[in-house]
Amino acid sequence: MAQTLVYKILSTHLVEGKLAAGQQIGIGIDQTLTQDATGTTAFLLYESMGSGRVKTNVSVSYIDHNMTQFGPENHNDHLYLQTVAAKSGVYHSRAGNGICHQVHLERFGKPGDTLLGSDSHTPTGGGIGMLAIGAGGMDVAVAMAGGPFYLTCPKVVGVKLTGKLNDWVAAKDVILKLLSILTTKGNVGWVAEYFGDAVETLSVTQRATITNMGAELGVTTSVFASDEQTKKFLKAQKRQADYKPLAVDADAEYDRVIEINLSELEPMAACPSSPDNVKTVKEIAGLETAQVLIGSCTNSSYTDLMMVAKVLKGRTINSMVEFGIAPGSREVLNMMAQNGAITDMISAGARILESGCGPCIGQGFSPADGVVSLRTFNRNFTGRTGTKGDQTYLVSPETAIASVLTGKITDPRELPKLFGIKYPKIEMPKEFVIDDSMIEVPPKEKQAQKIEVLRGPTIVVPEAPPALAKNLKAKALLKCGDKITTDHIMPAGVFLKLRSNVPEYAKVVFDCFNEDDKPTFAQRSLELKQKGIAGIIVAGQSYGQGSSREHAALCPMYLGVRVVIAKSIERIHKANLINFCIVPIEFENEDDYDKIYQGDNLRIDNLTKAVKEKDSVTIVDETAGFEFVGKLELSKRDREILLAAGLLNYTRKKANG
Ligand code: MIC
Ligand code: SF4
């Protein structure tokens, strides 16, 4: 039978279930990646499983998020991750070597392989023809131990690309266009697969920009074929042996097809504060900007940054703009240092940041109050920059650099007219400067046994969830609206350094909803927990979108949250809730959402029975005096995990027979 790329990779990795959309399947995982902000928990859980050496072909632990090092926390994490990686047989990419997704693409990505990463932008690997999926750290820990990854067998949306990108129009504009069509809601259970004549015109890094930001659609992943472009990229990385062609069958059918003609595309921007609030740059042109940042795993490749350097050469940035550039990897930084591009950037007035996530995750460069910040990143959720009420626009490097020169949001197609700049077409280099000295190869098992894993005092082993209550007595601790992201639930920024200390980090759960002079969400929760009353979160559509951070389940669990009732819940977050024994319930009738108020006393009788064998559960709102039905959309395995009090307990039980 003719197959899509997605189904080709799935069928060669299927270990459980049937390849039919909507069915729960288990797939074997070839590679994993973890980063420091989710990796410490992942490795602590991995160690608790007692699994020894990893069973994957390749597992890599990256340090790229937490690099500011105010206080000992970050460095404690780095040392822990470095030693635990060596002990477990995991490659370790040191701080300064670059953003996990960019480095993984350059040094490890392999067409046709599966990659599971504890970061939602893992689908960046789809740019090199991998089936690359983001998940919670606990799921990645299981994969490192050799276990399958379970997912809903997806429907495939074929995105047909035709035409050719015009000068100053970028891969970022392709994904922004798609976000304007599909939005960030309602795409759970789908994968985006790109096809059509225009695909061969896009380089691997352009494809990776598209698959990276596909995460914002909420799809399971996004995939491109592996072809001549892939071969060229791998050859330039001196990894031609990793090349394998991968093409869609001619008469393969997609569940839905969307066509984007690249020739007709124009520069786009995601306006505050959602990646799908997309307008053309022309529509918002002229808006003054005081900060422009280029970087992140979406747009920090060699070709992106060389284009920026060429535009800047011999020019000076607008004096009202603060301008930072964070190269995606040390490889990119090194190449630009060697060919002089960094000098062009510095001379123009750019501030060169280290290779890492930096401002994308609120580590520095929080904008001033009320100013427009223009970023080439993938997320502009409110407050993510570290400034409340921030005004962040997401654009391509082309639009960013045009705006740096004018101080206003500027359509880059104006650059020839405004400054006489010709579009600098950057070719993929024939050979990259390869230097893997910051990637530590794990020692052989015997050698590794002697390694002492360093666990500084700020690293606290997370508490295991308690067993599910038979009958649940609870309170609606919080009622929130649509599109609540994991950034709302668990802020990063200045709190990011607390990732390996759940009791401390839990103090800022839902910090964005805390009001001065009123008890915080954490205080209200802990007070109830002491009285033996569980917490319930009531939410609207797409609850838990965005990051894969399992702390958005782990910390609420620590505070006593046992159930989330929402209109819909995003894929990774739903899995994280289950892994930490929080029951995800969806409203059968969405109107019931309006009848519940924050503070209502809720009751769920026979919860364990429902989780065991029912597709729905009755929830009694004792305060409002009504009852309603919630859907339990759970696989058999989900149910077993919940009944075993979470994935860690479940895995241990399985291992002990
Ligand atoms: C993000 O972009 O939000 C992050 C930080 O990379 C997260 C992971 C995390 O919260 O540590 C992600 O995308 O999963
Ligand atoms: Fe890092 Fe930002 Fe990419 Fe997340 S989205 S991995 S924080 S660069």
Side-chain angles (χ1 to χ4, degrees):
M1 206 181 97
Q3 278 183 318
T4 58
L5 297 174
V6 179
Y7 274 69
K8 280 193 176 184
I9 306 181
L10 284 176
S11 54
T12 51
H13 289 81
L14 191 71
V15 292
E16 242 181 271
K18 234 181 87 202
L19 275 190
Q23 301 277 318
Q24 168 99 359
I25 52 169
I27 55 169
I29 296 298
D30 301 314
Q31 303 193 351
T32 65
L33 74 76
T34 46
Q35 39 86 342
D36 51 316
T38 54
T40 342
T41 333
F43 276 98
L44 287 169
L45 295 166
Y46 182 76
E47 284 191 292
S48 317
M49 282 159 41
S51 305
R53 301 278 285 186
V54 292
K55 311 289 183 304
T56 44
N57 298 342
V58 172
S59 284
V60 193
S61 163
Y62 292 90
I63 309 278
D64 54 359
H65 281 64
N66 270 317
M67 317 227 292
T68 42
Q69 302 183 216
F70 291 115
E73 293 89 347
N74 296 166
H75 199 204
N76 281 339
D77 287 352
H78 299 179
L79 292 174
Y80 168 65
L81 289 170
Q82 186 171 20
T83 49
V84 78
K87 192 144 196 131
S88 322
V90 171
Y91 289 86
H92 177 73
S93 173
R94 302 187 60 193
N97 197 46
I99 306 173
C100 55
H101 309 302
Q102 176 69 24
V103 178
H104 207 87
L105 196 71
E106 291 167 355
R107 306 307 304 141
F108 295 100
K110 224 169 145 183
D113 267 16
T114 50
L115 166 69
L116 193 71
S118 65
D119 190 284
S120 64
H121 291 105
T122 305
T124 312
I128 203 165
M130 301 186 97
L131 193 78
I133 303 176
M138 187 61 219
D139 281 321
V140 178
V142 169
M144 288 196 288
F149 174 65
Y150 292 87
L151 72 158
T152 307
C153 189
K155 286 192 183 170
V156 185
V157 51
V159 185
K160 184 172 181 186
L161 302 181
T162 57
K164 197 165 184 293
L165 287 175
N166 286 313
D167 288 353
W168 304 106
V169 184
K172 181 67 156 278
D173 301 314
V174 178
I175 186 62
L176 287 173
K177 177 74 190 176
L178 191 63
L179 272 155
S180 75
I181 300 169
L182 288 176
T183 80
T184 58
K185 285 196 297 192
N187 303 312
V188 175
W190 288 79
V191 170
E193 177 170 315
Y194 292 84
F195 73 109
D197 293 347
V199 166
E200 64 183 40
T201 67
L202 298 172
S203 67
V204 163
T205 46
Q206 285 177 307
R207 295 173 186 182
T209 294
I210 296 171
T211 56
N212 169 283
M213 206 172 169
E216 275 44 77
L217 298 165
V219 291
T220 307
T221 188
S222 307
V223 196
F224 274 90
S226 170
D227 55 10
E228 284 306 308
Q229 291 276 9
T230 324
K231 197 191 220 170
K232 196 162 131 192
F233 180 77
L234 284 168
K235 195 160 173 251
Q237 291 288 344
K238 297 206 180 78
R239 295 204 290 121
Q240 45 276 55
D242 288 340
Y243 175 70
K244 194 167 103 186
L246 183 72
V248 59
D249 289 334
D251 38 3
E253 279 181 22
Y254 293 107
D255 297 291
R256 179 181 175 188
V257 172
I258 292 172
E259 185 168 337
I260 300 179
N261 183 343
L262 303 193
S263 310
E264 287 170 6
L265 209 59
E266 30 178 328
M268 316 285 275
C271 304
S273 292
S274 179
D276 63 357
N277 186 14
V278 176
K279 293 204 170 117
T280 61
V281 171
K282 241 197 289 180
E283 283 175 272
I284 54 167
L287 206 60
E288 275 179 19
T289 172
Q291 188 187 60
V292 178
L293 296 171
I294 296 183
S296 92
C297 53
T298 320
N299 278 123
S300 58
S301 64
Y302 175 79
T303 39
D304 276 346
L305 298 194
M306 279 309 292
M307 182 279 301
V308 167
K310 290 264 188 277
V311 172
L312 286 178
K313 193 176 172 71
R315 298 193 164 79
T316 312
I317 64 168
N318 184 282
S319 60
M320 290 312 289
V321 180
E322 177 180 66
F323 178 39
I325 302 175
S329 68
R330 185 162 150 272
E331 181 177 278
V332 172
L333 180 57
N334 238 338
M335 288 185 63
M336 295 195 311
Q338 289 183 18
N339 69 16
I342 290 285
T343 309
D344 295 332
M345 291 169 166
I346 296 171
S347 306
R351 292 166 63 181
I352 307 298
L353 317 185
E354 65 181 327
S355 292
C357 299
C360 179
I361 193 57
Q363 302 293 292
F365 275 86
S366 301
D369 292 305
V371 309
V372 164
S373 177
L374 219 60
R375 300 172 171 221
T376 65
F377 306 168
N378 47 35
R379 290 189 172 143
N380 58 349
F381 304 143
T382 179
R384 185 169 159 102
T385 61
T387 300
K388 273 199 176 158
D390 48 9
Q391 294 292 307
T392 309
Y393 291 73
L394 306 173
V395 294
S396 67
E398 282 79 353
T399 301
I401 200 61
S403 311
V404 163
L405 293 178
T406 60
K408 298 182 186 111
I409 295 185
T410 302
D411 188 323
R413 293 171 300 178
E414 296 285 310
L415 282 179
K417 203 169 74 202
L418 291 175
F419 299 98
I421 304 175
K422 227 175 110 216
Y423 184 58
K425 253 208 172 66
I426 309 294
E427 289 301 328
M428 185 69 75
K430 290 219 159 28
E431 251 183 35
F432 285 92
V433 174
I434 314 287
D435 170 7
D436 286 335
S437 58
M438 296 276 277
I439 300 176
E440 297 187 333
V441 180
K444 294 256 175 323
E445 193 161 0
K446 209 159 157 218
Q447 246 347 78
Q449 275 165 5
K450 296 186 203 133
I451 291 168
E452 185 204 348
V453 176
L454 300 175
R455 239 177 250 101
T458 55
I459 297 174
V460 178
V461 180
E463 228 175 64
L468 213 57
K470 191 165 164 244
N471 299 308
L472 196 79
K473 205 172 142 209
K475 206 179 218 5
L477 264 174
L478 182 80
K479 183 176 173 186
C480 46
D482 290 345
K483 291 190 180 180
I484 293 297
T485 70
T486 49
D487 278 81
H488 290 106
I489 308 171
M490 268 335 311
V494 287
F495 306 115
L496 193 65
K497 68 175 186 176
L498 302 175
R499 283 287 175 91
S500 41
N501 189 342
V502 170
E504 276 305 307
Y505 196 25
K507 289 182 183 159
V508 293
V509 172
F510 284 119
D511 192 49
C512 60
F513 295 128
N514 288 336
E515 290 173 54
D516 294 343
D517 310 325
K518 291 210 179 130
T520 62
F521 177 89
Q523 287 164 336
R524 291 190 288 122
S525 311
L526 286 175
E527 205 183 305
L528 281 181
K529 191 179 170 188
Q530 271 152 19
K531 293 184 190 152
I533 300 171
I536 290 185
I537 293 163
V538 180
Q541 295 282 6
S542 290
Y543 181 73
Q545 62 172 248
S547 139
S548 69
R549 61 191 71 151
E550 61 196 339
H551 297 80
L554 183 52
C555 293
M557 180 279 285
Y558 171 82
L559 296 176
V561 172
R562 300 286 171 255
V563 170
V564 167
I565 309 172
K567 290 184 185 170
S568 66
I569 306 176
E570 292 298 298
R571 175 187 68 87
I572 304 180
H573 188 59
K574 185 169 173 181
N576 284 337
L577 290 174
I578 293 167
N579 289 351
F580 292 98
C581 202
I582 298 179
V583 185
I585 300 178
E586 278 149 292
F587 286 99
E588 186 171 80
N589 177 355
E590 289 189 3
D591 295 343
D592 290 327
Y593 167 88
D594 300 321
K595 300 188 204 153
I596 310 174
Y597 290 90
Q598 186 164 311
D600 282 4
N601 293 323
L602 306 175
R603 207 181 73 225
I604 308 181
D605 297 330
N606 299 316
L607 178 63
T608 41
K609 191 167 178 345
V611 166
K612 198 165 171 195
E613 58 202 32
K614 300 225 161 85
D615 293 331
S616 65
V617 65
T618 303
I619 300 132
V620 182
D621 187 328
E622 292 178 330
T623 313
F626 80 107
E627 56 179 53
F628 62 98
V629 177
K631 290 184 289 178
L632 287 170
E633 286 187 355
L634 301 168
S635 69
K636 186 169 160 277
R637 181 172 176 269
D638 293 340
R639 292 174 194 275
E640 285 169 7
I641 293 173
L642 285 168
L643 294 168
L647 184 56
L648 181 60
N649 286 329
Y650 171 82
T651 312
R652 279 188 187 140
K653 271 191 195 158
K654 271 198 121 174
N656 298 333

